[in-house]
Amino acid sequence: MAIIYNKPFSLTQNNLISVRPSDVTQTDMEFAHFMRLAESWLNDASESDRQMFRKCNGTEMEHIALKALKDVAPQTSFSVDNIKLVSGLHFPDIQAAGHFGVEVKSTKSDTWTSTGSSIVESTRIPDVSRIYMLFAKLGGKTPEFRCRPYEQCLSNIAVTHAPRYLIDMNLADNGEKNIFEKMSVEYDTFRMLGEKEKINSVRKYYMHANRAKGKYEMPWWMGDANTEVSSSIMIRFFNDLSMNEKSDIRARMLILFPELFGPKQDKYKRAALWMCSRYSVICSNLRDTFSAGGKVEEIGEVRFKCKMPQVLKTLYQNRGLIKYLLSNPDEALMQDLEDHWGENESQSLCLDKWFGLMQQVFDENNELKDVDLKELFVLWQ
């Protein structure tokens, strides 16, 4: 696709052939100027030939962006010979003067938002330390272009086949925080982390943020990237699992979610989300899994003064596996304890901590407030 467009240039001397990493901060202003000129070139070109730009696909847009950068380069200290397209092989799409890069993103919609690149950045060019987003909004009355520092355009993280950034070119203009400001980490710090560290950091951020807001939400890709824990690729129903699978999941729920013994109507929400996130398992009648069958007066040869909720019998039936898991927690449980109890737990403290958390909930439930759980476990031995 040919672009017939010319702009007058004012040549500057000492074009940059490359820059050392230590010099990058000194040339940031020049790079910003370079990108403003490219943005202006593209918007002027769009006004001249709107239909041509509307028909552009992603690959064609990258070539047009390259032409824009090369055409305006003589007005800057960047050398035309050191601006190259590396799309398809590396991130970002265009490399300039060794340590600068331009990621080109286009959308056919009349919006400044889109899904961006993977947070892992596994194909990132090692030498590139500064990146700008060049965003082409090809929908609407006239195709428009904006250039912004890469990290300032990344509003959030979503998952397609892998965690990816969400792009919002209006973030800085609207005074909103980018994802790195939300996570309280510098982009240059985050990008240097390993793949597992990145995914785990993001997962923890969303877990803690949702807990702080009191929201019943969990990342479905919540597995700890530092462990070998995995989830089924298929979504299954709880009732279709084997007896061993059901017992294991039920015991872990009784450990992780003491609120199952509380009086609130929404007490099953966190457990249901966790089961779906961790095991790709859903249950349409989770309440019946714990409390079906009415109230009982005797559980495990222990007779109570008044009838107890069925969930206490479920606890009795799973007590052996609960004690085993808390005394010998695997990687998945240790991660879940950190996520849902809100702190790191040493293996030796898990059982005592669980008794404490459970007793707090028992004390808040009129039906269970007279039950000493630790003493009850002794009687059940």
mmCIF file of all heavy atoms in Angstrom, residues 113-146:
data_model
loop_
_atom_site.group_PDB
_atom_site.id
_atom_site.type_symbol
_atom_site.label_atom_id
_atom_site.label_comp_id
_atom_site.label_asym_id
_atom_site.label_seq_id
_atom_site.Cartn_x
_atom_site.Cartn_y
_atom_site.Cartn_z
ATOM 1 N N THR A 113 -9.677 2.053 23.155
ATOM 2 C CA THR A 113 -9.342 0.917 24.005
ATOM 3 C C THR A 113 -9.181 -0.345 23.165
ATOM 4 O O THR A 113 -9.786 -0.478 22.096
ATOM 5 C CB THR A 113 -10.429 0.677 25.069
ATOM 6 O OG1 THR A 113 -11.674 0.395 24.414
ATOM 7 C CG2 THR A 113 -10.582 1.898 25.959
ATOM 8 N N SER A 114 -8.368 -1.269 23.675
ATOM 9 C CA SER A 114 -8.150 -2.534 22.973
ATOM 10 C C SER A 114 -7.396 -3.481 23.893
ATOM 11 O O SER A 114 -6.969 -3.101 24.992
ATOM 12 C CB SER A 114 -7.348 -2.301 21.688
ATOM 13 O OG SER A 114 -7.193 -3.505 20.972
ATOM 14 N N THR A 115 -7.234 -4.696 23.453
ATOM 15 C CA THR A 115 -6.404 -5.672 24.160
ATOM 16 C C THR A 115 -4.984 -5.584 23.625
ATOM 17 O O THR A 115 -4.779 -5.555 22.407
ATOM 18 C CB THR A 115 -6.946 -7.097 23.970
ATOM 19 O OG1 THR A 115 -8.287 -7.153 24.417
ATOM 20 C CG2 THR A 115 -6.105 -8.100 24.760
ATOM 21 N N GLY A 116 -4.018 -5.547 24.524
ATOM 22 C CA GLY A 116 -2.632 -5.376 24.126
ATOM 23 C C GLY A 116 -1.819 -6.646 24.170
ATOM 24 O O GLY A 116 -2.336 -7.753 24.017
ATOM 25 N N SER A 117 -0.552 -6.472 24.431
ATOM 26 C CA SER A 117 0.402 -7.582 24.395
ATOM 27 C C SER A 117 0.420 -8.353 25.709
ATOM 28 O O SER A 117 -0.093 -7.904 26.727
ATOM 29 C CB SER A 117 1.804 -7.050 24.091
ATOM 30 O OG SER A 117 1.819 -6.330 22.877
ATOM 31 N N SER A 118 1.056 -9.502 25.687
ATOM 32 C CA SER A 118 1.197 -10.338 26.873
ATOM 33 C C SER A 118 2.025 -9.626 27.937
ATOM 34 O O SER A 118 2.978 -8.914 27.628
ATOM 35 C CB SER A 118 1.883 -11.658 26.502
ATOM 36 O OG SER A 118 2.296 -12.366 27.649
ATOM 37 N N ILE A 119 1.651 -9.833 29.195
ATOM 38 C CA ILE A 119 2.422 -9.238 30.290
ATOM 39 C C ILE A 119 3.800 -9.887 30.409
ATOM 40 O O ILE A 119 4.700 -9.325 31.024
ATOM 41 C CB ILE A 119 1.680 -9.353 31.643
ATOM 42 C CG1 ILE A 119 1.633 -10.806 32.127
ATOM 43 C CG2 ILE A 119 0.280 -8.777 31.550
ATOM 44 C CD1 ILE A 119 1.123 -10.964 33.546
ATOM 45 N N VAL A 120 3.955 -11.051 29.824
ATOM 46 C CA VAL A 120 5.225 -11.784 29.946
ATOM 47 C C VAL A 120 6.326 -11.129 29.130
ATOM 48 O O VAL A 120 7.490 -11.107 29.526
ATOM 49 C CB VAL A 120 5.023 -13.249 29.522
ATOM 50 C CG1 VAL A 120 6.360 -13.996 29.528
ATOM 51 C CG2 VAL A 120 4.027 -13.939 30.437
ATOM 52 N N GLU A 121 5.982 -10.589 27.951
ATOM 53 C CA GLU A 121 6.952 -9.941 27.065
ATOM 54 C C GLU A 121 8.139 -10.850 26.754
ATOM 55 O O GLU A 121 9.295 -10.435 26.778
ATOM 56 C CB GLU A 121 7.447 -8.617 27.662
ATOM 57 C CG GLU A 121 6.339 -7.578 27.849
ATOM 58 C CD GLU A 121 6.857 -6.233 28.333
ATOM 59 O OE1 GLU A 121 8.086 -6.083 28.485
ATOM 60 O OE2 GLU A 121 6.032 -5.336 28.575
ATOM 61 N N SER A 122 7.830 -12.104 26.456
ATOM 62 C CA SER A 122 8.902 -13.086 26.242
ATOM 63 C C SER A 122 9.728 -12.803 24.998
ATOM 64 O O SER A 122 10.872 -13.255 24.889
ATOM 65 C CB SER A 122 8.302 -14.496 26.151
ATOM 66 O OG SER A 122 7.354 -14.570 25.099
ATOM 67 N N THR A 123 9.169 -12.052 24.021
ATOM 68 C CA THR A 123 9.909 -11.752 22.793
ATOM 69 C C THR A 123 10.469 -10.328 22.798
ATOM 70 O O THR A 123 10.895 -9.835 21.756
ATOM 71 C CB THR A 123 9.000 -11.927 21.558
ATOM 72 O OG1 THR A 123 7.884 -11.033 21.653
ATOM 73 C CG2 THR A 123 8.492 -13.353 21.458
ATOM 74 N N ARG A 124 10.477 -9.693 23.959
ATOM 75 C CA ARG A 124 10.974 -8.318 24.032
ATOM 76 C C ARG A 124 12.444 -8.240 23.618
ATOM 77 O O ARG A 124 13.265 -9.078 23.999
ATOM 78 C CB ARG A 124 10.817 -7.763 25.441
ATOM 79 C CG ARG A 124 11.249 -6.294 25.551
ATOM 80 C CD ARG A 124 11.071 -5.773 26.952
ATOM 81 N NE ARG A 124 11.522 -4.383 27.037
ATOM 82 C CZ ARG A 124 10.787 -3.378 27.478
ATOM 83 N NH1 ARG A 124 9.543 -3.596 27.868
ATOM 84 N NH2 ARG A 124 11.256 -2.148 27.534
ATOM 85 N N ILE A 125 12.776 -7.226 22.831
ATOM 86 C CA ILE A 125 14.161 -6.987 22.440
ATOM 87 C C ILE A 125 14.926 -6.532 23.680
ATOM 88 O O ILE A 125 14.571 -5.511 24.292
ATOM 89 C CB ILE A 125 14.238 -5.901 21.353
ATOM 90 C CG1 ILE A 125 13.391 -6.309 20.139
ATOM 91 C CG2 ILE A 125 15.677 -5.647 20.941
ATOM 92 C CD1 ILE A 125 13.189 -5.205 19.132
ATOM 93 N N PRO A 126 15.953 -7.260 24.095
ATOM 94 C CA PRO A 126 16.639 -6.953 25.358
ATOM 95 C C PRO A 126 17.157 -5.526 25.462
ATOM 96 O O PRO A 126 17.120 -4.928 26.540
ATOM 97 C CB PRO A 126 17.789 -7.966 25.381
ATOM 98 C CG PRO A 126 17.318 -9.101 24.527
ATOM 99 C CD PRO A 126 16.497 -8.455 23.441
ATOM 100 N N ASP A 127 17.627 -4.953 24.358
ATOM 101 C CA ASP A 127 18.228 -3.621 24.405
ATOM 102 C C ASP A 127 17.205 -2.494 24.540
ATOM 103 O O ASP A 127 17.556 -1.378 24.922
ATOM 104 C CB ASP A 127 19.062 -3.370 23.144
ATOM 105 C CG ASP A 127 20.346 -4.189 23.136
ATOM 106 O OD1 ASP A 127 20.737 -4.675 24.215
ATOM 107 O OD2 ASP A 127 20.916 -4.366 22.045
ATOM 108 N N VAL A 128 15.953 -2.775 24.204
ATOM 109 C CA VAL A 128 14.935 -1.714 24.215
ATOM 110 C C VAL A 128 14.527 -1.393 25.650
ATOM 111 O O VAL A 128 14.032 -2.246 26.379
ATOM 112 C CB VAL A 128 13.696 -2.121 23.396
ATOM 113 C CG1 VAL A 128 12.565 -1.111 23.602
ATOM 114 C CG2 VAL A 128 14.041 -2.208 21.920
ATOM 115 N N SER A 129 14.750 -0.147 26.066
ATOM 116 C CA SER A 129 14.420 0.267 27.431
ATOM 117 C C SER A 129 13.278 1.271 27.495
ATOM 118 O O SER A 129 12.716 1.494 28.559
ATOM 119 C CB SER A 129 15.657 0.864 28.113
ATOM 120 O OG SER A 129 16.175 1.943 27.361
ATOM 121 N N ARG A 130 12.941 1.908 26.363
ATOM 122 C CA ARG A 130 11.840 2.866 26.337
ATOM 123 C C ARG A 130 10.918 2.525 25.167
ATOM 124 O O ARG A 130 11.371 2.367 24.033
ATOM 125 C CB ARG A 130 12.352 4.303 26.177
ATOM 126 C CG ARG A 130 13.091 4.838 27.392
ATOM 127 C CD ARG A 130 12.142 5.013 28.583
ATOM 128 N NE ARG A 130 12.838 5.609 29.713
ATOM 129 C CZ ARG A 130 13.528 4.920 30.622
ATOM 130 N NH1 ARG A 130 13.619 3.608 30.509
ATOM 131 N NH2 ARG A 130 14.117 5.548 31.617
ATOM 132 N N ILE A 131 9.607 2.438 25.470
ATOM 133 C CA ILE A 131 8.636 2.076 24.436
ATOM 134 C C ILE A 131 7.486 3.080 24.430
ATOM 135 O O ILE A 131 7.019 3.508 25.489
ATOM 136 C CB ILE A 131 8.072 0.653 24.674
ATOM 137 C CG1 ILE A 131 9.192 -0.386 24.648
ATOM 138 C CG2 ILE A 131 7.011 0.304 23.629
ATOM 139 C CD1 ILE A 131 8.732 -1.785 24.985
ATOM 140 N N TYR A 132 7.045 3.415 23.245
ATOM 141 C CA TYR A 132 5.830 4.212 23.068
ATOM 142 C C TYR A 132 4.759 3.349 22.405
ATOM 143 O O TYR A 132 5.074 2.468 21.586
ATOM 144 C CB TYR A 132 6.089 5.429 22.184
ATOM 145 C CG TYR A 132 6.218 6.736 22.960
ATOM 146 C CD1 TYR A 132 7.286 6.936 23.828
ATOM 147 C CD2 TYR A 132 5.279 7.745 22.823
ATOM 148 C CE1 TYR A 132 7.417 8.122 24.532
ATOM 149 C CE2 TYR A 132 5.393 8.944 23.525
ATOM 150 C CZ TYR A 132 6.455 9.123 24.383
ATOM 151 O OH TYR A 132 6.573 10.299 25.085
ATOM 152 N N MET A 133 3.505 3.598 22.768
ATOM 153 C CA MET A 133 2.386 2.984 22.074
ATOM 154 C C MET A 133 1.943 3.920 20.956
ATOM 155 O O MET A 133 1.700 5.114 21.188
ATOM 156 C CB MET A 133 1.217 2.767 23.039
ATOM 157 C CG MET A 133 -0.013 2.137 22.384
ATOM 158 S SD MET A 133 0.165 0.366 22.164
ATOM 159 C CE MET A 133 -0.027 -0.170 23.884
ATOM 160 N N LEU A 134 1.859 3.398 19.743
ATOM 161 C CA LEU A 134 1.303 4.148 18.619
ATOM 162 C C LEU A 134 -0.034 3.490 18.305
ATOM 163 O O LEU A 134 -0.080 2.362 17.804
ATOM 164 C CB LEU A 134 2.240 4.099 17.424
ATOM 165 C CG LEU A 134 1.939 5.047 16.254
ATOM 166 C CD1 LEU A 134 3.170 5.235 15.387
ATOM 167 C CD2 LEU A 134 0.769 4.560 15.390
ATOM 168 N N PHE A 135 -1.120 4.170 18.628
ATOM 169 C CA PHE A 135 -2.456 3.585 18.550
ATOM 170 C C PHE A 135 -3.225 4.201 17.391
ATOM 171 O O PHE A 135 -3.341 5.427 17.283
ATOM 172 C CB PHE A 135 -3.211 3.835 19.850
ATOM 173 C CG PHE A 135 -4.454 2.995 20.019
ATOM 174 C CD1 PHE A 135 -4.427 1.822 20.745
ATOM 175 C CD2 PHE A 135 -5.655 3.394 19.448
ATOM 176 C CE1 PHE A 135 -5.571 1.051 20.903
ATOM 177 C CE2 PHE A 135 -6.812 2.642 19.590
ATOM 178 C CZ PHE A 135 -6.767 1.455 20.327
ATOM 179 N N ALA A 136 -3.774 3.342 16.522
ATOM 180 C CA ALA A 136 -4.554 3.788 15.372
ATOM 181 C C ALA A 136 -6.022 3.452 15.603
ATOM 182 O O ALA A 136 -6.395 2.274 15.658
ATOM 183 C CB ALA A 136 -4.049 3.102 14.101
ATOM 184 N N LYS A 137 -6.842 4.469 15.767
ATOM 185 C CA LYS A 137 -8.299 4.292 15.893
ATOM 186 C C LYS A 137 -8.887 4.521 14.499
ATOM 187 O O LYS A 137 -9.074 5.650 14.062
ATOM 188 C CB LYS A 137 -8.877 5.287 16.901
ATOM 189 C CG LYS A 137 -10.390 5.156 17.096
ATOM 190 C CD LYS A 137 -10.879 6.079 18.197
ATOM 191 C CE LYS A 137 -10.896 7.527 17.746
ATOM 192 N NZ LYS A 137 -11.918 7.787 16.691
ATOM 193 N N LEU A 138 -9.156 3.415 13.806
ATOM 194 C CA LEU A 138 -9.537 3.493 12.402
ATOM 195 C C LEU A 138 -11.041 3.635 12.186
ATOM 196 O O LEU A 138 -11.495 3.868 11.072
ATOM 197 C CB LEU A 138 -9.008 2.264 11.660
ATOM 198 C CG LEU A 138 -7.490 2.056 11.764
ATOM 199 C CD1 LEU A 138 -7.067 0.820 10.991
ATOM 200 C CD2 LEU A 138 -6.730 3.286 11.283
ATOM 201 N N GLY A 139 -11.826 3.482 13.242
ATOM 202 C CA GLY A 139 -13.264 3.676 13.136
ATOM 203 C C GLY A 139 -13.620 5.136 13.354
ATOM 204 O O GLY A 139 -12.772 5.970 13.650
ATOM 205 N N GLY A 140 -14.905 5.452 13.204
ATOM 206 C CA GLY A 140 -15.330 6.833 13.399
ATOM 207 C C GLY A 140 -15.263 7.640 12.116
ATOM 208 O O GLY A 140 -14.921 7.138 11.036
ATOM 209 N N LYS A 141 -15.568 8.925 12.225
ATOM 210 C CA LYS A 141 -15.622 9.806 11.063
ATOM 211 C C LYS A 141 -14.275 9.896 10.360
ATOM 212 O O LYS A 141 -14.175 9.807 9.137
ATOM 213 C CB LYS A 141 -16.078 11.203 11.490
ATOM 214 C CG LYS A 141 -16.232 12.186 10.336
ATOM 215 C CD LYS A 141 -16.718 13.537 10.836
ATOM 216 C CE LYS A 141 -16.839 14.520 9.669
ATOM 217 N NZ LYS A 141 -17.310 15.854 10.127
ATOM 218 N N THR A 142 -13.229 10.079 11.152
ATOM 219 C CA THR A 142 -11.872 10.180 10.598
ATOM 220 C C THR A 142 -10.936 9.306 11.417
ATOM 221 O O THR A 142 -10.908 9.412 12.649
ATOM 222 C CB THR A 142 -11.359 11.630 10.640
ATOM 223 O OG1 THR A 142 -12.249 12.469 9.905
ATOM 224 C CG2 THR A 142 -9.966 11.725 10.046
ATOM 225 N N PRO A 143 -10.170 8.411 10.801
ATOM 226 C CA PRO A 143 -9.172 7.640 11.553
ATOM 227 C C PRO A 143 -8.228 8.587 12.297
ATOM 228 O O PRO A 143 -7.804 9.611 11.745
ATOM 229 C CB PRO A 143 -8.438 6.864 10.458
ATOM 230 C CG PRO A 143 -9.453 6.708 9.379
ATOM 231 C CD PRO A 143 -10.229 7.999 9.390
ATOM 232 N N GLU A 144 -7.933 8.251 13.558
ATOM 233 C CA GLU A 144 -7.083 9.110 14.376
ATOM 234 C C GLU A 144 -5.940 8.301 14.980
ATOM 235 O O GLU A 144 -6.028 7.081 15.138
ATOM 236 C CB GLU A 144 -7.892 9.757 15.500
ATOM 237 C CG GLU A 144 -8.968 10.715 15.043
ATOM 238 C CD GLU A 144 -9.711 11.308 16.226
ATOM 239 O OE1 GLU A 144 -9.085 12.056 17.012
ATOM 240 O OE2 GLU A 144 -10.913 11.013 16.380
ATOM 241 N N PHE A 145 -4.893 9.029 15.384
ATOM 242 C CA PHE A 145 -3.706 8.386 15.938
ATOM 243 C C PHE A 145 -3.275 9.091 17.217
ATOM 244 O O PHE A 145 -3.370 10.317 17.336
ATOM 245 C CB PHE A 145 -2.560 8.420 14.917
ATOM 246 C CG PHE A 145 -2.863 7.649 13.668
ATOM 247 C CD1 PHE A 145 -3.599 8.236 12.639
ATOM 248 C CD2 PHE A 145 -2.451 6.341 13.524
ATOM 249 C CE1 PHE A 145 -3.902 7.529 11.495
ATOM 250 C CE2 PHE A 145 -2.748 5.628 12.380
ATOM 251 C CZ PHE A 145 -3.480 6.214 11.361
ATOM 252 N N ARG A 146 -2.809 8.290 18.173
ATOM 253 C CA ARG A 146 -2.246 8.847 19.395
ATOM 254 C C ARG A 146 -0.981 8.073 19.747
ATOM 255 O O ARG A 146 -0.912 6.850 19.566
ATOM 256 C CB ARG A 146 -3.228 8.764 20.570
ATOM 257 C CG ARG A 146 -4.377 9.750 20.489
ATOM 258 C CD ARG A 146 -5.245 9.678 21.721
ATOM 259 N NE ARG A 146 -6.422 10.518 21.590
ATOM 260 C CZ ARG A 146 -7.426 10.557 22.452
ATOM 261 N NH1 ARG A 146 -7.399 9.757 23.518
ATOM 262 N NH2 ARG A 146 -8.460 11.348 22.253
#
